[in-house]
Amino acid sequence: MTLVQLEYLVAVDTFRHFATAAEHCFVTQPTLSMQLQKLEEEMGAQLFDRSRVPVRPTELGRDVIAQARVVLAEAKRVQEIVQSQRQELSGELRIGIIPTLAPYLIPLFITGFMEKYSEVRVEVQELLTDEIVERLNHELLDVGLLVTPLENKSVRELPLFYEAFVAYVNPAHALAKSATINPGQLDMEELWVLNEGHCFRSQVLNICNRGGFRGADRKGHLDYKSGSLETLKRIVETQHGLTLLPELSVLEMPEEKRRLVRPFAEPQPLREVSLAVHRSFLKKKLVQALQQEIIAAVPASILNRKKEQVVSVKF
């Protein structure tokens, strides 16, 4: 049994496809299949059910794969110990970030991080929360930037800051005349929200619940399902109604658009933005450097806000 065989074993479990696993491991499919066959012969047991599509591990295979992940993580930890003695951080940092954070948070810190740690190759992927957690568990990501708490035992959360929700209101809407709003004034018939699957959508609906959840189905002819906050903003500007936005998304707005922003009255509903890593995560120095760079880049008005009215990410 070799570490290479265990890497191939874990890759097939992750991708559930021999050709894709081989491509990920930078070997040919016959090479990968031959090494796994040798491993199965050595163990005297079949680890994958090859008759199923996609391929699935056998019951014994699941147990062996779980232990193989532990062994590979510990082997990587040895490499990390050696690397930690070097003065400069280097290597690859794979970051997953949710779409309602990416356009507003990434520009704040990424340039400074890349200049400070020029030997680090950064890969950023926009993904939904569930996809980030899954990829952290399968070691396809090193760290996630998302909204917490997740209540997931496999993930460790490192809170960064607390971001307020604000309303973005069409000029003709009644709430445009108010300096602040409260959840009880929100009407679901007038509120534009993201598609299902976005944690931001769940949080918006939870804010509405705090105020009694007025309304049911949207009136009128336009029913637009969007995965983009920027699209929702344009709909509010050109159509009617309102939407809720994260605070970071309005900081760089031109003045004419900032006039459409309405904060919530105190206590403001907040979302907790965190770094998320696997419980047995590696690259601790890189993750710590990323954490410090983000904290240094976030405006003090947001960074200094205390955890109070955090809205649940589950609906």
Side-chain angles (χ1 to χ4, degrees), residues 20-102:
T20 306
E23 182 179 352
H24 176 77
C25 295
F26 303 104
V27 296
T28 63
Q29 183 177 340
T31 297
L32 181 141
S33 297
M34 180 184 66
Q35 288 298 324
L36 287 183
Q37 186 175 353
K38 285 184 177 180
L39 182 62
E40 289 178 322
E41 290 173 354
E42 180 182 340
M43 292 186 170
Q46 188 174 0
L47 301 178
F48 286 103
D49 182 354
R50 293 165 172 78
S51 66
R52 302 179 64 180
V53 179
V55 65
R56 297 290 179 87
T58 61
E59 184 175 351
L60 173 63
R62 285 194 295 269
D63 292 338
V64 172
I65 290 165
Q67 188 60 38
R69 292 187 184 277
V70 173
V71 171
L72 291 173
E74 291 302 317
K76 291 176 182 176
R77 202 176 303 279
V78 172
Q79 297 172 350
E80 190 176 82
I81 291 172
V82 175
Q83 188 179 36
S84 68
Q85 300 304 311
R86 301 172 183 170
Q87 294 298 318
E88 291 187 356
L89 291 179
S90 61
E92 182 181 50
L93 185 63
R94 300 164 299 176
I95 304 171
I97 184 168
I98 57 176
T100 58
L101 268 176

Coordinates of all heavy atoms in Angstrom, one line a residue, residues 20-102:
T20 N -12.1 11.0 -14.8 CA -12.0 12.3 -14.2 C -11.0 12.2 -13.1 O -10.2 13.1 -12.9 CB -13.4 12.7 -13.7 OG1 -14.3 12.7 -14.7 CG2 -13.3 14.2 -13.1
A21 N -11.0 11.1 -12.3 CA -10.1 11.0 -11.2 C -8.6 10.9 -11.7 O -7.7 11.5 -11.2 CB -10.4 9.7 -10.4
A22 N -8.4 10.2 -12.8 CA -7.1 10.1 -13.4 C -6.6 11.4 -13.9 O -5.4 11.8 -13.7 CB -7.1 9.1 -14.6
E23 N -7.5 12.2 -14.5 CA -7.2 13.5 -15.0 C -6.7 14.4 -13.8 O -5.8 15.2 -13.9 CB -8.3 14.1 -15.8 CG -8.1 15.5 -16.4 CD -9.3 16.0 -17.1 OE1 -10.2 15.3 -17.3 OE2 -9.2 17.2 -17.5
H24 N -7.5 14.3 -12.7 CA -7.2 15.1 -11.6 C -5.8 14.8 -11.0 O -5.1 15.6 -10.5 CB -8.3 14.9 -10.5 CG -8.0 15.6 -9.2 ND1 -8.2 17.0 -9.1 CD2 -7.6 15.2 -8.0 CE1 -7.9 17.3 -7.8 NE2 -7.5 16.3 -7.2
C25 N -5.5 13.5 -11.1 CA -4.2 13.0 -10.5 C -3.0 13.1 -11.5 O -1.9 12.7 -11.2 CB -4.3 11.6 -10.0 SG -5.5 11.4 -8.7
F26 N -3.3 13.6 -12.8 CA -2.3 13.7 -13.8 C -1.7 12.4 -14.2 O -0.5 12.3 -14.4 CB -1.2 14.7 -13.4 CG -1.8 16.1 -13.0 CD1 -1.9 16.4 -11.7 CD2 -2.2 17.0 -14.0 CE1 -2.4 17.7 -11.3 CE2 -2.7 18.2 -13.6 CZ -2.8 18.6 -12.3
V27 N -2.5 11.4 -14.3 CA -2.1 10.1 -14.8 C -3.1 9.6 -15.8 O -4.2 10.1 -15.9 CB -1.9 9.0 -13.7 CG1 -0.8 9.5 -12.7 CG2 -3.2 8.8 -12.9
T28 N -2.7 8.5 -16.5 CA -3.7 7.9 -17.5 C -4.7 7.1 -16.7 O -4.4 6.6 -15.6 CB -3.0 7.1 -18.5 OG1 -2.3 6.0 -17.8 CG2 -2.0 7.9 -19.3
Q29 N -5.8 6.8 -17.3 CA -6.8 6.0 -16.6 C -6.3 4.6 -16.4 O -6.6 4.0 -15.3 CB -8.2 6.0 -17.4 CG -9.2 5.2 -16.7 CD -10.6 5.2 -17.4 OE1 -10.8 6.1 -18.2 NE2 -11.4 4.3 -17.1
P30 N -5.7 4.0 -17.4 CA -5.2 2.6 -17.1 C -4.2 2.5 -16.0 O -4.2 1.6 -15.2 CB -4.5 2.2 -18.5 CG -5.2 3.1 -19.5 CD -5.5 4.3 -18.8
T31 N -3.3 3.6 -15.8 CA -2.4 3.6 -14.7 C -3.1 3.6 -13.3 O -2.8 2.9 -12.4 CB -1.5 4.8 -14.8 OG1 -0.7 4.7 -16.0 CG2 -0.5 4.9 -13.6
L32 N -4.1 4.5 -13.3 CA -4.9 4.6 -12.0 C -5.7 3.4 -11.7 O -5.7 2.9 -10.6 CB -5.9 5.8 -12.1 CG -6.8 6.1 -10.9 CD1 -6.9 7.6 -10.7 CD2 -8.2 5.5 -11.1
S33 N -6.3 2.8 -12.7 CA -7.1 1.6 -12.5 C -6.2 0.4 -12.1 O -6.6 -0.4 -11.2 CB -7.8 1.2 -13.8 OG -8.8 2.2 -14.2
M34 N -5.0 0.3 -12.7 CA -4.1 -0.8 -12.4 C -3.6 -0.6 -10.9 O -3.6 -1.6 -10.2 CB -2.8 -0.7 -13.3 CG -1.8 -1.8 -13.0 SD -0.3 -1.7 -14.0 CE 0.3 -0.1 -13.4
Q35 N -3.3 0.6 -10.4 CA -2.9 0.8 -9.1 C -4.0 0.4 -8.1 O -3.8 -0.1 -7.0 CB -2.4 2.2 -8.9 CG -1.1 2.5 -9.5 CD 0.1 1.7 -9.0 OE1 0.1 1.4 -7.8 NE2 1.0 1.3 -9.9
L36 N -5.2 0.8 -8.4 CA -6.3 0.5 -7.5 C -6.6 -1.0 -7.5 O -7.0 -1.6 -6.4 CB -7.6 1.2 -8.0 CG -7.6 2.7 -7.7 CD1 -8.9 3.4 -8.1 CD2 -7.4 3.0 -6.2
Q37 N -6.4 -1.7 -8.6 CA -6.6 -3.1 -8.7 C -5.6 -3.8 -7.8 O -5.9 -4.8 -7.1 CB -6.5 -3.6 -10.1 CG -6.8 -5.1 -10.3 CD -6.8 -5.5 -11.7 OE1 -6.7 -4.7 -12.6 NE2 -6.9 -6.8 -11.9
K38 N -4.3 -3.3 -7.8 CA -3.3 -3.8 -7.0 C -3.6 -3.7 -5.5 O -3.4 -4.5 -4.7 CB -1.9 -3.2 -7.3 CG -1.3 -3.6 -8.6 CD 0.1 -3.0 -8.7 CE 0.8 -3.4 -10.0 NZ 2.1 -2.8 -10.2
L39 N -4.2 -2.5 -5.2 CA -4.5 -2.2 -3.8 C -5.6 -3.2 -3.3 O -5.6 -3.7 -2.2 CB -5.0 -0.8 -3.7 CG -5.4 -0.3 -2.3 CD1 -4.2 -0.4 -1.3 CD2 -5.9 1.1 -2.3
E40 N -6.6 -3.4 -4.2 CA -7.7 -4.3 -3.9 C -7.2 -5.7 -3.7 O -7.6 -6.5 -2.8 CB -8.8 -4.2 -4.9 CG -9.6 -2.9 -4.9 CD -10.6 -2.8 -6.0 OE1 -10.4 -3.3 -7.1 OE2 -11.8 -2.3 -5.7
E41 N -6.3 -6.1 -4.6 CA -5.7 -7.5 -4.5 C -4.9 -7.6 -3.2 O -5.0 -8.7 -2.5 CB -4.8 -7.7 -5.7 CG -5.5 -7.9 -7.0 CD -4.6 -8.0 -8.2 OE1 -3.4 -7.8 -8.0 OE2 -5.1 -8.2 -9.3
E42 N -4.2 -6.6 -2.8 CA -3.4 -6.6 -1.5 C -4.4 -6.8 -0.3 O -4.0 -7.5 0.6 CB -2.6 -5.4 -1.4 CG -1.7 -5.3 -0.2 CD -1.0 -4.0 0.0 OE1 -0.8 -3.3 -1.1 OE2 -0.5 -3.7 1.1
M43 N -5.5 -6.1 -0.4 CA -6.5 -6.1 0.7 C -7.4 -7.4 0.6 O -8.0 -7.7 1.6 CB -7.3 -4.9 0.7 CG -6.5 -3.6 1.0 SD -7.6 -2.2 1.2 CE -6.5 -1.0 1.9
G44 N -7.4 -8.0 -0.5 CA -8.3 -9.1 -0.7 C -9.8 -8.7 -0.7 O -10.6 -9.6 -0.2
A45 N -10.1 -7.5 -1.1 CA -11.5 -7.1 -1.1 C -11.7 -6.0 -2.2 O -10.8 -5.3 -2.6 CB -11.8 -6.5 0.3
Q46 N -12.9 -6.0 -2.6 CA -13.3 -5.0 -3.6 C -13.7 -3.7 -2.9 O -14.5 -3.7 -2.0 CB -14.5 -5.5 -4.5 CG -14.8 -4.6 -5.7 CD -15.9 -5.2 -6.6 OE1 -16.4 -6.3 -6.3 NE2 -16.2 -4.5 -7.6
L47 N -13.1 -2.6 -3.4 CA -13.4 -1.3 -2.7 C -14.4 -0.4 -3.5 O -15.0 0.5 -2.9 CB -12.0 -0.5 -2.6 CG -10.9 -1.2 -1.8 CD1 -9.7 -0.3 -1.8 CD2 -11.4 -1.4 -0.4
F48 N -14.6 -0.7 -4.8 CA -15.6 0.0 -5.5 C -16.5 -0.9 -6.3 O -16.1 -2.0 -6.7 CB -14.9 0.9 -6.6 CG -14.3 2.1 -6.0 CD1 -12.9 2.2 -5.9 CD2 -15.0 3.2 -5.6 CE1 -12.3 3.3 -5.3 CE2 -14.4 4.4 -5.1 CZ -13.0 4.4 -4.9
D49 N -17.8 -0.5 -6.4 CA -18.7 -1.3 -7.2 C -18.7 -0.7 -8.5 O -19.3 0.4 -8.8 CB -20.1 -1.1 -6.5 CG -21.2 -1.9 -7.3 OD1 -20.9 -2.5 -8.4 OD2 -22.4 -2.0 -6.8
R50 N -18.0 -1.3 -9.5 CA -17.8 -0.8 -10.8 C -19.0 -1.0 -11.7 O -19.1 -0.5 -12.8 CB -16.6 -1.4 -11.4 CG -15.3 -1.0 -10.7 CD -14.1 -1.8 -11.1 NE -12.8 -1.4 -10.7 CZ -12.4 -1.5 -9.4 NH1 -13.2 -2.2 -8.5 NH2 -11.2 -1.1 -9.1
S51 N -20.0 -1.8 -11.2 CA -21.2 -2.0 -12.1 C -22.2 -0.9 -12.0 O -23.1 -0.8 -12.8 CB -21.9 -3.3 -11.6 OG -22.5 -3.1 -10.3
R52 N -22.0 0.1 -11.1 CA -22.9 1.2 -11.0 C -22.3 2.5 -11.6 O -21.1 2.6 -11.7 CB -23.2 1.5 -9.5 CG -23.7 0.3 -8.7 CD -24.0 0.6 -7.3 NE -25.0 1.7 -7.1 CZ -25.4 2.1 -5.9 NH1 -24.8 1.6 -4.8 NH2 -26.3 3.1 -5.8
V53 N -23.2 3.3 -12.1 CA -22.8 4.6 -12.7 C -23.6 5.7 -12.1 O -24.8 5.7 -12.1 CB -23.1 4.6 -14.3 CG1 -22.7 5.9 -14.9 CG2 -22.4 3.4 -15.0
P54 N -22.9 6.6 -11.4 CA -21.5 6.7 -11.3 C -21.0 5.6 -10.3 O -21.7 5.1 -9.5 CB -21.3 8.1 -10.7 CG -22.5 8.4 -9.9 CD -23.6 7.8 -10.7
V55 N -19.7 5.3 -10.4 CA -19.1 4.3 -9.5 C -19.3 4.7 -8.1 O -19.2 5.8 -7.7 CB -17.6 4.1 -9.9 CG1 -16.8 5.4 -9.6 CG2 -17.0 2.9 -9.2
R56 N -19.5 3.7 -7.2 CA -19.7 3.9 -5.8 C -18.8 3.0 -5.0 O -18.5 1.9 -5.4 CB -21.2 3.6 -5.4 CG -22.2 4.5 -6.1 CD -22.1 6.0 -5.6 NE -23.0 6.8 -6.2 CZ -24.3 7.0 -5.8 NH1 -24.7 6.3 -4.8 NH2 -25.1 7.8 -6.5
P57 N -18.3 3.5 -3.8 CA -17.5 2.6 -3.0 C -18.4 1.5 -2.3 O -19.6 1.7 -2.1 CB -17.0 3.5 -1.9 CG -17.9 4.7 -1.9 CD -18.4 4.8 -3.3
T58 N -17.8 0.3 -2.1 CA -18.5 -0.7 -1.4 C -18.6 -0.3 0.1 O -18.0 0.7 0.5 CB -17.8 -2.0 -1.5 OG1 -16.5 -1.9 -0.9 CG2 -17.7 -2.5 -2.9
E59 N -19.3 -1.1 0.9 CA -19.4 -0.8 2.3 C -18.0 -0.8 3.0 O -17.6 0.2 3.8 CB -20.3 -1.8 3.1 CG -20.5 -1.5 4.5 CD -21.5 -2.4 5.2 OE1 -22.1 -3.2 4.4 OE2 -21.6 -2.4 6.4
L60 N -17.2 -1.8 2.7 CA -15.8 -1.8 3.2 C -15.0 -0.6 2.6 O -14.2 0.0 3.3 CB -15.1 -3.1 2.8 CG -13.6 -3.2 3.1 CD1 -13.4 -3.1 4.6 CD2 -13.0 -4.5 2.6
G61 N -15.3 -0.3 1.3 CA -14.6 0.7 0.6 C -14.8 2.1 1.3 O -13.8 2.9 1.4
R62 N -16.0 2.3 1.8 CA -16.2 3.6 2.5 C -15.4 3.8 3.7 O -14.8 4.8 4.0 CB -17.7 3.7 2.8 CG -18.6 4.0 1.7 CD -20.0 4.4 2.1 NE -20.7 3.4 2.8 CZ -21.5 2.5 2.2 NH1 -21.7 2.5 0.9 NH2 -22.1 1.5 2.9
D63 N -15.2 2.7 4.5 CA -14.4 2.7 5.7 C -12.9 2.9 5.3 O -12.2 3.7 6.0 CB -14.6 1.4 6.5 CG -16.0 1.3 7.1 OD1 -16.6 2.3 7.2 OD2 -16.4 0.2 7.4
V64 N -12.5 2.2 4.3 CA -11.1 2.4 3.9 C -10.8 3.8 3.4 O -9.8 4.4 3.7 CB -10.7 1.3 2.8 CG1 -9.3 1.6 2.2 CG2 -10.8 -0.1 3.4
I65 N -11.7 4.3 2.6 CA -11.5 5.7 2.0 C -11.5 6.7 3.2 O -10.7 7.6 3.1 CB -12.7 6.0 1.0 CG1 -12.5 5.1 -0.2 CG2 -12.7 7.5 0.7 CD1 -13.7 5.1 -1.1
A66 N -12.4 6.5 4.1 CA -12.4 7.5 5.3 C -11.0 7.5 6.0 O -10.5 8.6 6.3 CB -13.5 7.1 6.3
Q67 N -10.4 6.3 6.2 CA -9.1 6.3 6.8 C -8.0 6.8 5.9 O -7.0 7.4 6.3 CB -8.8 4.8 7.2 CG -7.6 4.7 8.1 CD -7.6 5.5 9.4 OE1 -8.7 5.6 10.0 NE2 -6.5 6.1 9.8
A68 N -8.2 6.5 4.6 CA -7.2 7.0 3.6 C -7.1 8.5 3.6 O -6.0 9.1 3.5 CB -7.6 6.5 2.2
R69 N -8.3 9.2 3.8 CA -8.3 10.6 3.9 C -7.5 11.1 5.1 O -6.8 12.1 5.0 CB -9.7 11.2 3.9 CG -10.5 11.0 2.6 CD -11.8 11.6 2.7 NE -12.6 11.4 1.5 CZ -12.5 12.1 0.3 NH1 -11.6 13.1 0.2 NH2 -13.3 11.8 -0.7
V70 N -7.6 10.4 6.2 CA -6.9 10.8 7.4 C -5.4 10.6 7.2 O -4.6 11.5 7.5 CB -7.3 9.9 8.6 CG1 -6.4 10.1 9.8 CG2 -8.8 10.2 8.9
V71 N -5.0 9.5 6.6 CA -3.6 9.2 6.3 C -3.0 10.3 5.4 O -1.9 10.8 5.6 CB -3.4 7.8 5.7 CG1 -2.0 7.6 5.2 CG2 -3.8 6.7 6.7
L72 N -3.7 10.6 4.3 CA -3.2 11.6 3.4 C -3.1 13.0 4.0 O -2.1 13.7 3.8 CB -4.1 11.7 2.1 CG -4.0 10.4 1.2 CD1 -5.1 10.5 0.2 CD2 -2.7 10.3 0.6
A73 N -4.0 13.3 4.9 CA -4.0 14.6 5.6 C -2.8 14.7 6.5 O -2.1 15.7 6.6 CB -5.3 14.8 6.4
E74 N -2.5 13.6 7.2 CA -1.3 13.6 8.1 C 0.0 13.7 7.3 O 0.9 14.3 7.7 CB -1.4 12.3 8.9 CG -2.5 12.3 10.0 CD -2.5 13.5 10.9 OE1 -1.4 13.9 11.4 OE2 -3.5 14.1 11.1
A75 N 0.0 13.0 6.1 CA 1.2 13.1 5.3 C 1.4 14.5 4.8 O 2.6 15.0 4.8 CB 1.1 12.1 4.1
K76 N 0.3 15.2 4.4 CA 0.4 16.6 4.0 C 0.8 17.5 5.2 O 1.5 18.5 5.0 CB -0.9 17.1 3.4 CG -1.2 16.4 2.1 CD -2.6 16.9 1.6 CE -2.9 16.2 0.3 NZ -4.3 16.5 -0.2
R77 N 0.4 17.1 6.4 CA 0.8 17.9 7.5 C 2.3 17.9 7.8 O 2.9 18.8 8.3 CB 0.0 17.4 8.8 CG -0.1 18.4 9.9 CD -0.9 17.9 11.0 NE -2.2 17.4 10.6 CZ -3.3 18.3 10.4 NH1 -3.1 19.6 10.6 NH2 -4.4 17.8 10.1
V78 N 2.9 16.7 7.5 CA 4.4 16.6 7.6 C 5.0 17.6 6.7 O 6.0 18.4 7.0 CB 4.9 15.2 7.3 CG1 6.4 15.2 7.2 CG2 4.4 14.2 8.4
Q79 N 4.5 17.7 5.4 CA 5.1 18.7 4.5 C 4.9 20.1 4.9 O 5.7 21.0 4.8 CB 4.4 18.5 3.1 CG 4.6 17.1 2.5 CD 3.8 16.9 1.2 OE1 2.9 17.7 0.9 NE2 4.1 15.8 0.5
E80 N 3.7 20.4 5.6 CA 3.4 21.7 6.1 C 4.4 22.1 7.2 O 4.7 23.3 7.3 CB 2.0 21.7 6.6 CG 1.5 23.1 6.9 CD 0.0 23.1 7.3 OE1 -0.3 22.9 8.5 OE2 -0.8 23.4 6.4
I81 N 4.7 21.1 8.0 CA 5.7 21.4 9.1 C 7.0 21.9 8.6 O 7.6 22.9 9.1 CB 5.8 20.2 10.0 CG1 4.6 19.9 10.8 CG2 7.0 20.4 11.0 CD1 4.6 18.6 11.6
V82 N 7.4 21.2 7.5 CA 8.7 21.6 6.9 C 8.6 23.0 6.3 O 9.4 23.9 6.4 CB 9.1 20.6 5.8 CG1 10.4 21.0 5.1 CG2 9.4 19.2 6.5
Q83 N 7.5 23.2 5.5 CA 7.3 24.5 4.8 C 7.1 25.6 5.8 O 7.5 26.8 5.5 CB 6.0 24.4 3.9 CG 5.9 25.6 3.0 CD 4.7 25.4 2.1 OE1 3.6 24.9 2.5 NE2 4.8 25.9 0.9
S84 N 6.6 25.4 7.0 CA 6.3 26.4 7.9 C 7.6 27.1 8.5 O 7.6 28.2 9.0 CB 5.5 25.9 9.1 OG 6.3 25.0 9.9
Q85 N 8.8 26.4 8.3 CA 10.0 26.9 8.7 C 10.6 27.9 7.8 O 11.6 28.6 8.1 CB 11.0 25.7 8.9 CG 10.6 24.7 9.9 CD 10.3 25.3 11.3 OE1 11.1 26.0 11.8 NE2 9.2 24.9 11.9
R86 N 10.1 28.0 6.6 CA 10.5 28.9 5.6 C 10.0 30.3 5.9 O 8.9 30.5 6.5 CB 10.1 28.5 4.2 CG 10.6 27.1 3.8 CD 10.0 26.7 2.5 NE 10.4 25.4 2.1 CZ 9.9 24.7 1.1 NH1 8.9 25.2 0.4 NH2 10.3 23.4 0.8
Q87 N 10.7 31.3 5.5 CA 10.3 32.7 5.8 C 9.1 33.1 4.9 O 8.2 33.8 5.4 CB 11.5 33.6 5.6 CG 12.6 33.4 6.6 CD 12.2 33.7 8.0 OE1 11.5 34.7 8.3 NE2 12.6 32.8 8.9
E88 N 9.1 32.7 3.7 CA 8.1 33.1 2.7 C 7.0 32.1 2.6 O 7.3 30.9 2.5 CB 8.7 33.4 1.4 CG 9.6 34.6 1.3 CD 10.0 34.9 -0.1 OE1 9.7 34.2 -1.0 OE2 10.7 36.0 -0.3
L89 N 5.7 32.5 2.6 CA 4.6 31.6 2.3 C 4.6 31.3 0.9 O 4.8 32.2 0.0 CB 3.3 32.2 2.8 CG 3.1 32.4 4.3 CD1 1.8 33.1 4.6 CD2 3.2 31.1 5.0
S90 N 4.3 30.1 0.5 CA 4.2 29.7 -0.9 C 3.2 28.6 -1.0 O 2.6 28.1 0.0 CB 5.6 29.3 -1.4 OG 6.0 28.1 -0.7
G91 N 3.0 28.1 -2.3 CA 2.0 27.1 -2.5 C 0.7 27.6 -3.1 O 0.6 28.7 -3.6
E92 N -0.3 26.7 -3.0 CA -1.6 27.0 -3.6 C -2.6 27.3 -2.5 O -2.7 26.5 -1.5 CB -2.0 25.9 -4.5 CG -3.4 26.1 -5.2 CD -3.8 24.9 -6.0 OE1 -3.7 23.8 -5.5 OE2 -4.1 25.1 -7.2
L93 N -3.5 28.2 -2.7 CA -4.6 28.5 -1.7 C -5.9 28.5 -2.5 O -6.1 29.4 -3.4 CB -4.4 29.8 -1.0 CG -5.4 30.1 0.1 CD1 -5.4 29.1 1.2 CD2 -5.2 31.5 0.7
R94 N -6.7 27.5 -2.3 CA -8.0 27.4 -3.1 C -9.1 27.9 -2.2 O -9.4 27.4 -1.1 CB -8.2 26.0 -3.4 CG -7.1 25.3 -4.3 CD -7.2 23.8 -4.4 NE -7.0 23.3 -3.0 CZ -7.1 22.0 -2.7 NH1 -7.4 21.1 -3.7 NH2 -6.9 21.5 -1.5
I95 N -9.7 29.0 -2.7 CA -10.8 29.7 -1.9 C -12.1 29.5 -2.6 O -12.3 29.8 -3.8 CB -10.5 31.2 -1.8 CG1 -9.1 31.4 -1.2 CG2 -11.5 31.9 -1.0 CD1 -8.6 32.9 -1.3
G96 N -13.1 29.1 -1.8 CA -14.5 29.2 -2.3 C -15.2 30.3 -1.6 O -15.1 30.5 -0.4
I97 N -16.0 31.0 -2.4 CA -16.7 32.2 -1.8 C -18.1 32.3 -2.4 O -18.3 32.0 -3.6 CB -16.0 33.5 -2.1 CG1 -16.7 34.7 -1.5 CG2 -15.7 33.7 -3.6 CD1 -15.8 36.0 -1.5
I98 N -19.1 32.6 -1.6 CA -20.5 32.7 -2.0 C -20.7 33.9 -2.9 O -20.0 34.9 -2.8 CB -21.5 32.7 -0.9 CG1 -21.2 33.8 0.1 CG2 -21.4 31.3 -0.1 CD1 -22.2 34.0 1.2
P99 N -21.7 33.8 -3.9 CA -21.8 34.9 -4.9 C -22.3 36.3 -4.3 O -22.0 37.3 -4.9 CB -22.9 34.4 -5.8 CG -22.9 32.9 -5.7 CD -22.5 32.6 -4.2
T100 N -22.9 36.3 -3.1 CA -23.3 37.5 -2.5 C -22.2 38.2 -1.7 O -22.4 39.3 -1.2 CB -24.5 37.3 -1.6 OG1 -24.2 36.4 -0.5 CG2 -25.7 36.8 -2.3
L101 N -21.0 37.6 -1.7 CA -19.9 38.2 -1.1 C -18.8 38.5 -2.1 O -18.1 39.5 -2.0 CB -19.2 37.2 0.0 CG -19.6 37.3 1.4 CD1 -18.9 36.2 2.2 CD2 -19.3 38.7 2.0
A102 N -18.7 37.6 -3.1 CA -17.5 37.7 -4.0 C -17.3 39.1 -4.7 O -16.2 39.6 -4.6 CB -17.7 36.6 -5.1

